[in-house]
Every structure is written in structure tokens, then in C-alpha cells.
Amino acid sequence: MKKYIFYLASFMLLYFIFQLGSGLLLTMFYTPDFTAAYYPSTNNIQEVNFGNVLPLQFVFILIIASISFILTERVFKLKSRV
């Protein structure tokens, strides 16, 4: 049970760091378009675009889970040696 809790905690921590870094990069490279903000809204859009899910995000989550698993295995191997 301790192993699972350690794995879950390390996964959440690594995922949080990944999300924080991703957000910082997106914020750094964002360039607002001020001219589009003042166009008259003559055409009302009836559809709402919620974005898309990139398969790359899933790959990063798998990589983070793998790193967490390897970290968990190494920590518990070190504890068993002592």
C-alpha cells in the first residue's frame, strides 16, 4: 500500500510540474492580437470551440507515469537493502 501511495504522490507531483512548465511556456510565447479585439461582432458564432486534445499530451502522461513507477521501484529497492 505504501508503494502505491508513493507512486501516486510522485505521479501527481511530476504531472503538476509538467502542467506548470507547459503553462509557463504558453504564457511566454503568447502574442495577443489587439486589432481583432476591436472588430465589430457582426457575425455571431453559434458553435463553441472547446479546443482539441493532442495525442502528444497522452504520450507525456505515459512518460510521467513511467518515470514515477521507476522512481517508486528504486526508492523501495534502496529501502529494502538498508
Side-chain angles (χ1 to χ4, degrees):
M1 185 69 176
K2 287 181 185 179
K3 193 175 185 180
Y4 177 72
I5 292 173
F6 187 78
Y7 168 75
L8 195 60
S10 64
F11 176 76
M12 288 190 303
L13 181 67
L14 288 172
Y15 188 70
F16 176 75
I17 291 170
F18 168 72
Q19 288 292 326
L20 186 67
S22 172
L24 286 173
L25 285 175
L26 288 172
T27 303
M28 278 180 16
F29 294 115
Y30 175 72
T31 54
D33 186 15
F34 291 112
T35 58
Y38 294 107
Y39 286 138
S41 60
T42 56
N43 54 347
N44 293 332
I45 300 173
Q46 297 297 322
E47 291 183 18
V48 178
N49 186 8
F50 289 109
N52 54 1
V53 177
L54 298 174
L56 191 61
Q57 291 175 335
F58 183 68
V59 171
F60 280 128
I61 291 173
L62 286 177
I63 290 170
I64 291 170
S66 299
I67 291 171
S68 296
F69 180 74
I70 292 168
L71 181 68
T72 303
E73 290 295 318
R74 286 193 180 188
V75 165
F76 279 94
K77 280 184 183 179
L78 288 175
K79 284 186 178 181
S80 66
R81 287 183 187 173
V82 175

